[in-house]
Amino acid sequence: MKPQHQFTQSQFEVARLGPCERTSPLQLSTTPGDGRCDYTPDDMRILFEPRFRAGEPICPLSMEHAGARERIYFDPMEVKAAIVTCGGLSPGINNVVRTIVLELIHNYGVPEVWGIRYGYEGLNGNVGRPPIALTPEVVENIHHRGGTILGTSRGPQLPADTVDFLTARGINMLFCIGGDGTQAGAHAMAQEVERRGLKIAVIGIPKTIDNDIEFCFTTFGFATAVGQAEIAIDRAHVEAKSVYNGVGLVKLMGREAGFITATAVLASGEANFCLVPEIPLELHGPDGFLAKLKRRLLAREHAVVVVAEGAGQHLLDEIQGADASGNRRLADIGYFLKAEIERYLKAEGIPTGVKYFDPSYLIRSLPAEAVDSLICERFARAAVHAAMSGRTDMLVGLWHNHLVHVPLGTSTGLKKRLDPESELWTSVLSLTGQEKW
């Protein structure tokens, strides 16, 4: 988490298209305690830092609380909305698409919702495929499927081209589902919209299976990924214990953040080593990983090692360049570790059998499990409420279990990292005992 003194209140103020002069069609309540769900007051805020020490001043920084507003900006009958999904797959994308469509059409009465094909390419008429109409019938059962029915791609398009596309088709509400690169593209579009003086709401919904988006404690798909990763670790444990000096090696997602790896290790309880990008990986020497693994095998005759894909990159030959999303290309730490473990133990005269698991693409393509389905519902509805109230150039975040509005100009470019001083990492070290070997 970025230190609070590096933010100012103005960085949390969300842009709006204009005054909200229409009454919401949702017919919620404004009277607490009457047995009906209430609108969220427009001035309701969530503290940036709710913790404080007795006697010390409370940090006044706050963010807008997300939720349905009593007064809205758009006339629902004049809304033409579009949804785009970008970047890598994550469980729950279709859930978000489905809920946006149903909330717009059934609850707000919006007549048209369109699905943009294959990411931001679909917002460039020169290279993309035409959008498809999204109706309740089209999205009825998509939440039971993995992937995205809209298709996805990586890489940006020129904001001028994408805004031309939106204006040519009369689209005045765009929901962008994706990670930091996607939200950076959404921010660029919102700035182009503002420069032209247009009234188009651009709303981001954070999607990253790595759970590394700032201002979002948990992103959708993370719980499903952890659950499936736990199964892989458990299977690796079975393989490791079934042979003399067996080693189960599991590589999980996590380019720059070790949240999936650390959380899955805790959920499983069977790992003996957890290697994440935030903690430098030392292979050699008496306190290096290989020596510790040897001592573990001599003492217990088996070991389970779980490594995040971004760990130990300094040990491998650097791969030049980046992918279309701007992500640094990674070398394969999994195969590298497998070879190094086998080479080292052979040189030490220790017989072993290393079983290597890489369930990454299997996990990414799964449908969302129950916990993620619920998070998807919350994010999607909050995004629709924000757009209908005329907010723009923002994403929906999750802060201290409350949904909040975060300006894209503040959130993009920041990445959440696993804190070595956190309870999460301390718990991993206590469970694995990897420091004692």
Side-chain angles (χ1 to χ4, degrees):
M1 184 175 70
K2 198 172 182 180
Q4 61 190 35
H5 67 271
Q6 295 189 16
F7 292 111
T8 63
Q9 187 58 52
S10 63
Q11 290 177 280
F12 293 125
E13 299 308 316
V14 176
R16 304 192 187 194
L17 297 175
C20 293
E21 299 176 341
R22 296 173 175 83
T23 300
S24 171
L26 299 184
Q27 298 182 347
L28 303 181
S29 174
T30 58
T31 306
D34 64 357
R36 294 167 55 203
C37 181
D38 296 331
Y39 287 109
T40 299
D42 213 34
D43 58 356
M44 184 67 72
R45 313 284 297 192
I46 299 296
L47 286 174
F48 179 84
E49 177 52 79
R51 300 167 297 179
F52 64 95
R53 300 190 68 173
E56 293 186 356
I58 298 174
C59 174
L61 287 176
S62 65
M63 291 178 274
E64 286 185 355
H65 196 304
R69 268 41 180 188
E70 182 181 10
R71 305 288 291 176
I72 59 177
Y73 173 79
F74 284 102
D75 178 347
M77 293 304 299
E78 296 178 357
V79 168
K80 190 173 183 180
I83 306 169
V84 62
T85 61
C86 306
L89 296 182
S90 179
I93 300 175
N94 282 334
N95 301 61
V96 175
V97 172
R98 179 179 187 267
T99 299
I100 290 174
V101 171
L102 297 182
E103 183 70 18
L104 284 169
I105 294 176
H106 285 329
N107 295 335
Y108 277 101
V110 168
E112 286 186 66
V113 184
W114 293 88
I116 305 301
R117 304 305 311 282
Y118 297 106
Y120 283 153
E121 283 185 5
L123 289 173
N124 184 339
N126 296 321
V127 298
R129 297 179 62 181
I132 59 172
L134 296 176
T135 65
E137 292 73 25
V138 170
V139 303
E140 182 178 8
N141 297 311
I142 65 172
H143 56 308
H144 298 304
R145 295 160 52 184
T148 164
I149 65 162
L150 303 180
T152 186
S153 67
R154 295 186 182 275
Q157 298 292 323
L158 292 175
D161 292 337
T162 58
V163 175
D164 284 346
F165 179 96
L166 296 175
T167 54
R169 288 158 178 76
I171 294 170
N172 53 10
M173 193 175 288
L174 178 65
F175 298 94
C176 303
I177 305 170
D180 187 66
T182 301
Q183 304 311 329
H187 179 49
M189 277 188 280
Q191 289 180 308
E192 178 68 11
V193 166
E194 181 182 20
R195 188 187 68 80
R196 298 189 192 186
L198 303 173
K199 301 300 182 181
I200 301 174
V202 180
I203 305 294
I205 301 171
K207 171 206 64 69
T208 168
I209 204 168
D210 291 350
N211 198 36
D212 62 353
I213 290 184
E214 188 60 281
F215 304 111
C216 195
F217 281 2
T218 302
T219 50
F220 69 83
F222 178 70
T224 301
V226 168
Q228 293 298 316
E230 176 193 1
I231 294 173
I233 296 171
D234 291 346
R235 298 298 178 267
H237 181 242
V238 171
E239 288 283 353
K241 289 203 70 173
S242 297
V243 297
Y244 180 55
N245 286 337
V247 177
L249 175 60
V250 183
K251 186 184 78 170
L252 298 175
M253 295 81 70
R255 298 181 58 84
E256 299 178 71
F259 291 109
I260 286 181
T261 302
T263 309
V265 161
L266 285 180
S268 169
E270 301 292 0
N272 310 113
F273 296 92
C274 178
L275 311 176
V276 297
E278 293 88 345
I279 310 297
L281 173 58
E282 295 183 14
L283 275 187
H284 303 289
D287 293 322
F289 163 71
L290 293 173
K292 289 182 177 182
L293 176 62
K294 172 186 172 181
R295 292 193 286 269
R296 161 74 193 188
L297 291 176
L298 292 176
R300 301 296 299 274
E301 299 181 352
H302 76 282
V304 175
V305 181
V306 187
V307 58
E309 62 181 322
Q313 289 295 306
H314 65 287
L315 301 171
L316 293 84
D317 293 333
E318 183 177 356
I319 298 179
Q320 299 298 319
D323 63 20
S325 295
N327 299 312
R328 177 172 60 104
R329 295 189 184 277
L330 300 180
D332 196 322
I333 186 63
Y335 281 118
F336 172 81
L337 270 187
K338 181 178 185 295
E340 287 294 305
I341 291 170
E342 291 172 335
R343 182 198 60 76
Y344 174 82
L345 293 178
K346 181 179 180 180
E348 293 292 313
I350 299 174
T352 187
V354 182
K355 301 299 188 296
Y356 177 49
F357 296 73
D358 182 358
S360 301
Y361 287 105
L362 182 151
I363 292 173
R364 293 189 346 156
S365 59
L366 288 168
E369 295 179 356
V371 171
D372 279 323
S373 294
L374 296 174
I375 292 177
C376 291
E377 284 275 331
R378 295 182 67 195
F379 273 104
R381 294 188 193 281
V384 172
H385 297 324
M388 292 302 300
S389 69
R391 286 165 171 82
T392 188
D393 197 11
M394 56 146 279
L395 63 75
V396 178
L398 182 64
W399 201 245
H400 303 290
N401 205 35
H402 294 279
L403 294 177
V404 294
H405 300 153
V406 186
L408 288 174
T410 299
S411 64
T412 53
L414 299 179
K415 287 293 187 76
K416 186 171 61 175
R417 297 289 180 266
L418 191 157
D419 182 357
E421 298 182 8
S422 65
E423 180 183 1
L424 173 59
W425 186 245
T426 301
S427 299
V428 167
L429 296 181
S430 297
L431 173 71
T432 61
Q434 64 193 59
E435 291 192 329
K436 72 179 182 180
W437 292 107

